[in-house]
Amino acid sequence: MVKENIEEKCREIRKEVFVQAYCGRGAHMGAAFSVADILGVLYFGGILNYQPENPEWSERDKVIVSKGHAGVALYAALSIAGYFDKGYLRTFCQLGSKLGGHPKIKEIPGVEASTGALGHGLSFAIGIAYANKADKKESHVYVVLGDGECQEGSIWEGALSAPTLELDNMTVIVDHNKLQAMDELERIIHMKPFADKWKAFGWNVVEIDGHNCTEIKEALLARKTGRPTLVIANTVKGKGVSFMENAPIWHYRMPNEQELPILLEELGMTMEDLK
């Protein structure tokens, strides 16, 4: 798939994120826009082996979005990939819909783990990767973490375990936008030097621009035998909407009447797209 098509898919993910937020009257848009390019490259950049028509295919690669509050971005990617009709996105967070604020396994095709309680996705993925090793499967496991999520102790237990188990069939991508719900990351818990911590634990660490599709793809393919890979994707929270970018207030908020036309223009949308 050529670069232009990947970038177009990333733009489409952002549009469908807002469709869900608008129809559901709220979503974690800042976190979803931040991770859109990462998911776009995973699903449309020739990285994943998957079959939307057969979501339980035993040889599939798996994506676990541990930062479950960005589930609207995952839903958007899955619908665009063909796991379910895009029209279903308009039911987000409405009565009777399976598309809730956080993704749930066994209810939504393509969702590989129930996430939202932060800090658990990495350990869940380690179990899958270890089982794949034991079963001699070629499947690869990808985990998307938030950088604020990395303040959880369970993340660092997993960070110690994966190199010990030599899980070179697992890649972790940290959405490093340097913001969390209430403030800047470093003003809550010091995380620096972030890359050095993972390297000291034995990870193959790659640091990139998390909005550059070429860099993302190259990093996802930069594996090393016997070691899990950690991709630090430097991103911008709220990427794609000027007034949302790098603003903690947009962790969870909807645009007002003055902000809505700006958002629509910058995402390349009109009100017709929301009907």
Side-chain angles (χ1 to χ4, degrees):
M1 186 175 291
V2 297
K3 178 183 176 183
E4 289 75 15
N5 286 345
I6 300 174
E7 292 178 342
E8 178 56 39
K9 294 295 186 183
C10 296
R11 286 190 287 271
E12 191 175 352
I13 288 172
R14 287 190 172 89
K15 291 178 182 180
E16 296 300 338
V17 163
F18 185 64
V19 167
Q20 293 172 84
Y22 184 83
C23 293
R25 300 184 181 182
H28 291 87
M29 284 188 289
F33 287 159
S34 176
V35 79
D37 299 310
I38 296 166
L39 292 175
V41 174
L42 277 168
Y43 281 93
F44 309 108
I47 300 295
L48 291 178
N49 290 314
Y50 64 98
Q51 297 179 352
E53 71 283 0
N54 183 19
E56 297 298 320
W57 177 44
S58 62
E59 301 303 314
R60 70 191 183 279
D61 295 332
K62 295 183 177 181
V63 176
I64 294 172
V65 179
S66 189
K67 49 176 289 181
H69 55 289
V72 282
L74 177 61
Y75 300 158
L78 291 173
S79 69
I80 296 166
Y83 280 89
F84 53 86
D85 189 274
K86 283 202 300 182
Y88 193 55
L89 296 176
R90 285 169 164 73
T91 70
F92 174 70
C93 274
Q94 296 174 47
L95 187 64
S97 176
K98 294 181 179 180
L99 301 181
H102 299 98
K104 294 179 69 176
I105 192 172
K106 301 298 183 184
E107 290 197 2
I108 305 164
V111 171
E112 302 288 359
S114 298
T115 57
L118 295 176
H120 302 302
L122 177 56
S123 295
F124 190 88
I126 287 170
I128 295 172
Y130 191 47
N132 285 344
K133 279 266 187 180
D135 293 339
K136 293 181 169 50
K137 285 187 177 181
E138 296 296 322
S139 303
H140 203 83
V141 184
Y142 299 86
V143 188
V144 180
L145 298 179
D147 51 5
E149 179 180 13
C150 291
Q151 294 165 352
E152 297 277 359
S154 53
I155 293 295
W156 297 104
E157 292 180 25
L160 282 167
S161 297
T164 302
L165 299 171
E166 299 182 350
L167 298 181
D168 50 9
N169 60 341
M170 186 175 75
T171 298
V172 175
I173 309 107
V174 177
D175 180 21
H176 195 26
N177 58 40
K178 304 167 188 67
L179 293 174
Q180 54 193 103
M182 304 302 294
D183 206 341
E184 297 176 9
L185 192 70
E186 287 294 317
R187 289 170 60 90
I188 295 177
I189 293 181
H190 298 317
M191 301 297 291
K192 296 178 180 178
F194 194 57
D196 289 345
K197 288 181 170 67
W198 292 87
K199 289 177 183 177
F201 283 15
W203 289 70
N204 169 41
V205 178
V206 184
E207 191 160 2
I208 60 165
D209 175 351
H211 299 301
N212 183 308
C213 292
T214 299
E215 288 191 27
I216 297 169
K217 182 170 182 176
E218 289 175 352
L220 293 175
L221 296 174
R223 304 170 188 170
K224 287 194 176 180
T225 302
R227 298 167 67 186
T229 295
L230 187 283
V231 178
I232 299 175
N234 291 294
T235 58
V236 174
K237 193 162 188 174
K239 177 69 174 180
V241 179
S242 57
F243 58 82
M244 289 187 181
E245 292 185 355
N246 288 319
I249 193 173
W250 286 101
H251 184 75
Y252 191 99
R253 185 187 162 194
M254 288 295 289
N256 59 32
E257 291 182 2
Q258 291 73 40
E259 294 162 337
L260 181 57
I262 300 171
L263 178 146
L264 292 175
E265 181 179 358
E266 293 181 354
L267 291 182
M269 303 175 70
T270 68
M271 288 299 296
E272 288 298 313
D273 295 317
L274 303 174
K275 295 181 179 178

